[in-house]
């Protein structure tokens, strides 16, 4: 398993997780999020700013070219 | 939290991350779709091989935790033909760009389609040679500016899907990195298809193409795909004069009645001949003896 | 005649095809080209009988590519071609050398450059066999001189490819390929067949390009769970691309040592009347046939000539050439080209104070023993 370790994910409560080490800040996720949950921050990385609005449609995860976004799939 | 981590499971162990591709490049999105299809179809490192050529797209085999062959420019389909034909039990996936497929490797491409060998070819069409810095490719549109067409491109472009269909591929589909759910669907269908399957995926290259053609960000190029790609059924209803500049997406060919090459070879060539007596030249000797006898009868000194 | 199980009056090309199957070749990908086509034709008919596979590719670029693919899928692959096709194969021949894929390329040489002389003999591709693809890599090349030797050399080529994980070039020529000779071939079960070294460690510890003591890394096969990456880029032991100068140095050195550390085992040559010789002839392939005759002719006239007939042209047996040339009045190299291996002979005899002479032909005709005899007279 690559990406964030279980430890890094431990205690994380928002439905969207951004693995900043791999994010290149392209902004595709921000543009196509139907609920404006995400924004590009001052470090040019994706940040989850409105997690309460997330409807878990996973479009950000599907369109993230860098495997940096994972969404809770309720399983 | 139960996150969906399919991609993280299939990424090659110990290989350096993040990926080599530029910010906003669509190749990673396609790789994500590939991972999902692999998961759904139970294709594993024990039964699947990835083959890539040269270019940005062909870096995909590096990132999949599978047997992988990163080959020479234009030849991945020929390498894949060797792998598949030698060991037909394997699933063989070729990932190539538009240059690999339609320019330097055009010959291998059409002939693999003609043979209907069971290979899945994923063509990542970014309409440019990205890795070498943005030279025009066989799919660059007329009028576009590239480093080798600084005054605008004068050549016409290939339609890779039409080419594949005309050459005889039995599954041909087009999608884009914007239409991700459709992309997931057709990649899965292509993997599951028996015979030559070709999936053309429109994937923008902002760094070497969009930037020079009035796109301010990669995101704008994704929006362009959203606005200008039309589902096949809608495209067919569209009057001819409204089609200019638009690209249809969907499944163009899906034939199931054409024999697959490796199966046909086994059925018609190996099975009827297996364990038959090998040629040992005794028949030549016999033939020569008869000839000599005839000559002797004719009075020749033999 | 039933006691003669494998006796025939056969072509070199046919002998090559029979030997390939005996040596375990089970995959052939090729493109028709004179004068090599008989090999493809015969294997198309014979391979299915042993469960092997034959495919006629769209060109030689693709043929060579398919060979490497089949090699990694676990079969012993072979192709056959001639000059123009051999030129096209250079791209992926270099790739095969880089990724260390065992495979055999038969080049039935014809006149060149370009389309040249399709139906006549030449030895003009000897240097191309070694230096044809770009970059630094060694190669093994064999040049047999009789139909019977074509059989042995083909078996040897397949075995060398497997043993050393390398492409091997078999240099026939139009005369050797098309000439018919009576041969008695061994039965397949009498042949010593070598198979590639397989990894002994579990997949998680497997390094596809490990720097082993004998310089030959064990080779895993696709679909066995090793999940390895192989690339034509410079790579480290894991097969991952690298631009680290240390890693590149190690790789290039190992590729060369893999062949050169074992070269004495690879060298095959024949000494003919060299014990008391004052002059040394050096030849290979079809030119060696005339050279042998010329030795006998010249000896009748009182000049003591011996022949060193080289089968392994690459790696070049420089040590043997030097030992035999030492103390001779002159060395004469006979080739069907404008002078190729003669350069290697000059290199090998440097400082010995033995003059090296060259007699060549490049018009598609063979050297005549009289020509060589007269040439020796003039030395």
């Amino acid at each position: 398993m690559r990406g964030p370790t279980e430890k890094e994910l431990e205690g994380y409560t928002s439905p969207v997780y951004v693995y900043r080490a791999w994010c290149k800040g392209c902004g595709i996720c921000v543009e196509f999020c139907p609920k404006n949950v995400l924004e590009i921050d001052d470090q040019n990385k994706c940040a989850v700013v409105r997690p309460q609005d997330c409807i878990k449609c996973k479009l950000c995860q599907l369109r993230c070219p860098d495997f940096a976004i994972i969404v809770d799939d309720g399983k | 939290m139960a996150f969906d981590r399919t991609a993280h499971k299939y990424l090659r162990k110990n290989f350096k991350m993040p990926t080599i591709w530029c910010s906003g490049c669509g190749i990673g999105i396609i790789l994500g779709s590939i991972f999902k299809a692999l998961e759904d179809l139970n294709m594993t490192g024990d039964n699947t091989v990835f083959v890539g050529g040269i270019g940005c797209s062909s870096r995909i085999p590096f990132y999949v935790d599978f047997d992988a062959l990163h080959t020479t420019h234009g030849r991945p389909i020929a390498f894949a033909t060797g792998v598949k034909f030698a060991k037909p039990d394997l699933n063989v996936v070729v990932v190539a760009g538009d240059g690999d497929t339609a320019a330097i490797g055009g010959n291998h491409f059409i002939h693999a389609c003609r043979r209907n060998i069971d290979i899945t070819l994923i063509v990542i069409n970014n309409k440019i040679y990205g890795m070498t810095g943005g030279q025009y490719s066989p799919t660059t549109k007329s009028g576009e500016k590239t480093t080798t067409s600084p005054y605008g491109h004068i050549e016409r472009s290939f339609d890779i899907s039409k080419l594949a269909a005309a050459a005889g591929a039995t599954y041909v589909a087009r999608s884009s990195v914007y239409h991700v759910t459709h992309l997931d669907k057709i990649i899965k269908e292509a993997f599951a298809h028996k015979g030559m399957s070709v999936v053309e995926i429109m994937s923008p290259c902002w760094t070497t193409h969009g930037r020079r053609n009035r796109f301010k960000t990669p995101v704008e190029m994704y929006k362009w795909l959203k606005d200008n790609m039309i589902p096949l059924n809608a495209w067919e209803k569209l009057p001819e004069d409204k089609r200019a500049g638009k690209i249809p997406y969907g499944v163009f060919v899906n034939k199931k009645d054409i024999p697959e090459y490796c199966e046909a070879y086994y059925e018609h060539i190996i099975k009827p001949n297996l364990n038959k007596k090998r040629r040992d030249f005794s028949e030549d000797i016999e033939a020569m003896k008869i000839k000599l006898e005839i000559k002797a009868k004719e009075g020749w000194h033999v | 005649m039933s006691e003669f199980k494998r006796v025939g009056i056969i072509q070199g090309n046919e002998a090559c095809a029979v030997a390939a199957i005996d040596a375990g070749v089970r995959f052939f990908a090729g493109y028709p080209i004179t004068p090599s086509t008989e090999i493809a034709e015969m294997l198309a008919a014979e391979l299915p009988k042993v469960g092997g596979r034959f495919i006629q590719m769209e060109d030689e670029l693709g043929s060579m590519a398919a060979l490497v693919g089949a090699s990694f899928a676990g079969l012993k692959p072979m192709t056959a071609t001639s000059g123009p096709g051999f030129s096209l194969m250079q791209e992926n021949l270099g790739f095969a050398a880089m990724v260390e894929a065992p495979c055999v390329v038969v080049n039935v040489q014809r006149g060149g450059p370009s389309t040249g002389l399709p139906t006549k003999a030449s030895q003009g591709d000897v240097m191309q066999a070694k230096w044809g693809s770009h970059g630094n890599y060694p190669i093994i090349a064999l040049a047999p001189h009789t139909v019977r030797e074509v059989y042995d050399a083909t078996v040897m080529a397949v075995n060398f490819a497997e043993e050393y994980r390398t492409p091997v070039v078999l240099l026939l020529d139009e005369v050797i390929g098309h000439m018919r000779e009576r041969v008695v071939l061994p039965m397949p079960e009498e042949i010593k067949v070598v198979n590639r070294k397989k990894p002994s460690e579990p997949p998680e510890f497997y390094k596809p390009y490990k720097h082993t003591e004998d310089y030959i890394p064990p080779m895993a096969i696709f679909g066995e769970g090793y999940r390895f990456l192989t690339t034509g880029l410079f790579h480290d032991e894991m097969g991952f691309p690298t631009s680290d100068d240390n890693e590149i140095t190690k790789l290039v050195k190992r590729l060369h040592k893999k062949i050169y550390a074992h070269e004495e085992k690879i060298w095959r040559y024949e000494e003919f009347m060299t014990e008391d010789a004052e002059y040394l002839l050096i030849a290979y392939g079809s030119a060696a046939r005339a050279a042998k005759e010329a030795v006998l002719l010249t000896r009748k006239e009182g000049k003591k000539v011996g022949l060193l007939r080289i089968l392994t042209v690459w790696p070049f047996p420089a040590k043997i050439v030097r030992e035999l040339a030492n103390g001779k009045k002159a060395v004469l190299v006979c080739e069907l080209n404008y002078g190729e291996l003669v350069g290697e002979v000059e290199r090998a005899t440097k400082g010995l104070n033995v003059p090296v002479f060259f007699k060549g032909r490049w018009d598609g005709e063979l050297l005549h023993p009289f020509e060589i005899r007269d040439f020796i007279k003039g030395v």
Side-chain angles (χ1 to χ4, degrees):
Chain A
M1 186 76 85
R2 304 293 303 268
T5 59
E6 289 300 320
K7 214 179 152 196
E8 283 171 84
L9 291 173
E10 217 174 71
Y12 193 79
T13 51
S14 152
V16 193
Y17 177 88
V18 179
Y19 188 51
R20 293 173 67 89
W22 289 359
C23 175
K24 293 172 188 161
C26 62
I28 296 171
C29 52
V30 177
E31 176 66 32
F32 297 111
C33 173
K35 293 290 173 184
N36 293 319
V37 173
L38 308 163
E39 267 176 27
I40 296 294
D41 67 10
D42 50 6
Q43 288 171 317
N44 200 28
K45 303 258 179 191
C46 171
V48 187
V49 290
R50 281 172 286 275
Q52 67 281 5
D53 292 350
C54 176
I55 52 167
K56 300 181 186 177
C57 67
K58 280 171 113 180
L59 284 174
C60 54
Q61 178 172 358
L62 291 173
R63 290 208 183 95
C64 175
D66 296 295
F67 316 106
I69 303 180
I70 44 175
V71 177
D72 174 26
D73 62 359
K75 278 181 197 157
Chain B
M1 286 287 154
F3 290 111
D4 172 7
R5 300 190 60 182
T6 313
H8 296 168
K9 200 165 88 185
Y10 283 97
L11 282 167
R12 190 180 289 282
K13 289 174 188 71
N14 305 319
F15 200 79
K16 114 181 134 211
M17 289 291 283
T19 56
I20 191 175
W21 303 299
C22 304
S23 173
C25 173
I27 298 174
I29 301 174
I30 298 161
L31 182 51
S33 283
I34 291 174
F35 286 147
K36 265 172 278 163
L38 293 171
E39 170 94 353
D40 291 349
L41 296 169
N42 196 24
M43 288 160 75
T44 68
D46 300 337
N47 61 22
T48 308
V49 176
F50 275 77
V51 184
I54 294 295
C56 298
S57 57
S58 302
R59 294 289 167 132
I60 278 189
F62 289 9
Y63 294 100
V64 290
D65 194 22
F66 283 70
D67 288 324
L69 194 56
H70 176 245
T71 67
T72 44
H73 195 25
R75 320 282 167 237
I77 301 167
F79 280 94
T81 301
V83 173
K84 179 70 189 181
F85 190 43
K87 204 170 179 180
D89 299 342
L90 292 171
N91 304 307
V92 181
V93 181
V94 177
V95 191
D98 42 311
D100 245 344
T101 308
I104 186 167
N107 204 21
H108 311 301
F109 171 52
I110 55 173
H111 286 276
C113 292
R114 177 179 63 81
R115 283 189 195 105
N116 194 32
I117 188 162
D118 186 20
I119 291 172
T120 302
L121 170 64
I122 295 177
V123 186
I124 302 180
N125 184 357
N126 60 5
K127 306 198 286 176
I128 200 87
Y129 286 93
M131 194 156 263
T132 45
Q135 297 76 28
Y136 64 77
S137 90
T139 52
T140 303
K141 297 281 171 231
S142 305
E144 285 181 336
K145 283 187 179 165
T146 70
T147 56
T148 45
S149 60
Y151 309 112
H153 193 43
I154 56 165
E155 296 172 20
R156 291 177 301 160
S157 60
F158 261 143
D159 182 325
I160 291 180
S161 293
K162 272 190 187 164
L163 191 58
T170 47
Y171 181 92
V172 182
R174 185 191 280 133
S175 188
S176 91
V177 288
Y178 171 78
H179 304 88
V180 268
T181 47
H182 181 257
L183 180 63
D184 285 356
K185 190 181 130 257
I186 63 161
I187 288 187
K188 199 170 145 185
E189 273 184 23
F191 281 176
H193 180 81
K194 193 161 205 65
M196 180 76 185
S197 47
V198 180
V199 178
E200 182 190 5
I201 304 163
M202 307 307 292
S203 171
C205 175
W206 181 75
T207 310
T208 68
H209 183 245
R211 221 157 36 105
R212 296 195 178 95
N213 289 282
R214 297 190 298 280
F215 289 100
K216 288 202 179 71
T217 62
V219 170
E220 278 188 28
M221 299 185 81
Y222 284 73
K223 283 193 205 157
W224 186 92
L225 290 174
K226 182 186 170 188
D227 299 337
N228 291 285
M229 286 189 70
I230 300 173
L232 187 60
N233 47 8
W235 165 267
E236 278 164 354
K237 286 176 205 139
L238 212 62
E240 199 72 46
D241 56 316
K242 296 243 168 82
R243 285 182 179 180
K246 306 280 184 206
I247 305 168
Y249 71 92
V251 179
F252 301 109
V253 180
N254 191 359
K255 289 186 202 158
K256 305 226 184 278
D257 53 341
I258 313 243
E260 193 274 326
Y261 182 76
C262 300
E263 279 186 4
Y265 190 85
Y266 183 79
E267 208 52 44
H268 298 292
I269 297 172
I270 294 187
K271 217 165 118 190
N273 291 302
L274 195 60
N275 298 327
K276 272 198 182 160
K277 187 175 162 282
R278 281 177 58 193
R279 205 177 139 198
D280 62 2
F281 306 107
S282 55
E283 66 279 8
D284 300 1
I285 295 279
E286 290 304 317
M288 199 156 295
K289 261 174 67 186
I290 293 165
K291 256 190 210 167
L292 290 177
E293 277 163 19
I294 295 168
K295 289 272 176 203
K297 272 182 200 157
E298 286 172 358
W300 292 82
H301 176 73
V302 289
Chain C
M1 274 247 187
S2 59
E3 69 272 23
F4 293 115
K5 279 183 191 143
R6 300 245 285 180
V7 177
I9 299 172
I10 64 172
Q11 282 188 333
N13 283 346
E14 288 173 333
C16 178
V18 179
I21 292 181
D22 292 354
V25 168
R26 291 294 176 271
F27 186 94
F28 183 98
Y31 188 83
I33 184 166
T34 305
S36 77
T37 313
E38 292 83 1
I39 299 175
E41 286 174 342
M42 189 161 170
L43 286 173
E46 294 291 300
L47 272 174
K49 297 180 185 171
V50 292
R53 284 152 191 281
F54 170 94
I55 184 168
Q56 185 173 309
M57 293 297 285
E58 50 277 8
D59 56 29
E60 284 90 347
L61 302 157
S63 307
M64 196 60 217
L67 242 57
V68 178
S71 190
F72 276 105
L75 297 188
K76 293 185 184 179
M78 179 194 250
T79 188
T81 189
S82 186
F86 193 53
S87 292
L88 292 180
M89 284 179 183
Q90 293 306 329
E91 178 194 45
N92 292 324
L93 197 61
F95 181 83
M98 182 64 134
V99 301
E100 300 170 65
C103 53
V104 176
V105 178
V106 184
N107 175 6
V108 188
Q109 296 167 94
R110 65 195 229 185
S114 189
T115 315
L117 270 168
T119 57
K120 289 196 171 184
S122 157
Q123 295 179 326
D125 307 348
V126 177
M127 281 291 157
Q128 189 188 18
K130 170 67 187 81
W131 304 105
S133 201
H134 55 281
N136 305 300
Y137 67 97
I139 200 119
I140 299 175
L142 308 170
H145 82 310
T146 62
V147 172
R148 182 63 180 80
E149 201 181 44
V150 169
Y151 180 90
D152 290 339
T154 307
V155 173
M156 221 182 277
V158 179
N159 286 345
F160 282 156
E162 292 287 316
E163 190 171 358
Y164 300 109
R165 256 194 93 168
T166 177
V168 176
V169 179
L170 189 60
L171 289 169
L172 312 185
D173 60 56
E174 190 275 334
V175 166
I176 300 296
H178 279 162
M179 176 177 55
R180 289 182 182 274
E181 287 185 306
R182 181 181 180 275
V183 291
V184 182
L185 299 179
M187 295 305 285
E189 52 275 14
E190 295 169 45
I191 303 285
K192 184 178 160 259
V193 172
V194 180
N195 294 312
R196 61 189 77 165
K197 199 162 61 172
K198 292 201 151 199
S200 52
E201 62 271 49
E204 55 271 34
F205 299 113
Y206 177 59
K207 290 180 177 172
Y209 295 98
K210 198 169 153 187
H211 297 297
T212 53
E213 265 175 37
D214 62 356
Y215 311 108
I216 310 160
M219 185 172 175
I221 286 168
F222 287 164
E224 289 187 339
Y226 287 90
R227 305 184 181 197
F228 62 101
L229 171 65
T230 185
T231 171
L233 291 164
F234 278 122
H235 43 266
D236 59 17
E237 285 187 302
M238 286 307 295
F240 293 175
T242 180
S243 51
D244 179 273
D245 51 347
N246 283 320
E247 289 293 338
I248 294 168
T249 307
K250 270 196 320 204
L251 173 63
V252 176
K253 271 195 176 168
R254 185 176 62 70
L255 285 179
H256 284 80
K257 281 184 179 165
K258 191 173 77 171
I259 305 297
Y260 293 123
H262 302 105
E263 63 182 4
E264 302 208 358
K265 282 189 276 174
I266 301 169
W267 287 343
R268 297 285 193 284
Y269 54 89
E270 179 197 359
E271 290 177 43
F272 181 68
M273 300 186 135
T274 50
E275 302 83 16
D276 60 342
E278 292 168 349
Y279 296 86
L280 181 68
L281 266 176
I282 297 178
Y284 54 93
S286 56
R289 301 170 72 96
K292 222 174 215 178
E293 184 66 22
V295 167
L296 298 172
L297 287 171
T298 320
R299 280 195 175 245
K300 269 184 200 159
E301 292 171 7
K303 216 168 188 178
K304 284 182 180 165
V305 181
L307 168 71
L308 169 62
R309 186 179 65 76
I310 298 169
L311 176 62
T312 308
V313 286
W314 302 113
F316 186 71
K319 198 180 111 189
I320 308 298
V321 169
R322 191 173 176 86
E323 278 170 13
L324 283 174
N326 197 6
K328 299 283 185 297
K329 286 183 180 158
V331 174
L332 309 106
V333 183
C334 302
E335 299 178 80
L336 297 181
N337 55 45
Y338 208 79
E340 294 198 8
L341 224 51
V342 61
E344 290 297 313
V345 173
E346 279 166 359
R347 233 154 58 130
T349 55
K350 205 172 171 186
L352 283 184
N353 210 14
V354 178
V356 176
F357 297 91
F358 174 71
K359 176 71 188 165
R361 255 193 113 135
W362 44 88
D363 55 356
E365 298 301 324
L366 290 184
L367 278 166
H368 196 284
F370 291 170
E371 270 180 277
I372 302 175
R373 178 197 61 190
D374 296 346
F375 175 63
I376 300 169
K377 265 190 207 162
V379 168

